[in-house]
Amino acid sequence: MSKGGRTAVVAVAAAVVLFWLFGFWPAVAVLIGVPVLAYLLLDSSQRRRVRGMSRKRLGR
């Protein structure tokens, strides 16, 4: 299985577990909030690099 496929399977499993444990809205808040928080914790130069990459290059 490719790295992207594995990531998708893990993300779906995490979503199912979060929905089961906490309910819909808290799970959505976690699933959206964690990547946003991680992005906000980057330096401005790191953010610039991430914005400049295509989705295909992010996995490499």
Side-chain angles (χ1 to χ4, degrees):
M1 184 181 285
S2 69
K3 185 175 181 179
R6 241 179 290 148
T7 303
V9 169
V10 170
V12 169
V16 169
V17 169
L18 284 171
F19 288 153
W20 182 67
L21 287 176
F22 299 112
F24 181 75
W25 290 113
V28 169
V30 169
L31 290 172
I32 292 177
V34 169
V36 168
L37 181 64
Y39 178 78
L40 292 175
L41 289 174
L42 294 174
D43 284 341
S44 59
S45 62
Q46 291 170 323
R47 286 185 200 161
R48 205 172 317 118
R49 285 182 61 197
V50 169
R51 279 194 310 259
M53 290 184 180
S54 66
R55 283 184 180 261
K56 211 171 201 181
R57 289 181 51 203
L58 283 175
R60 293 185 183 175

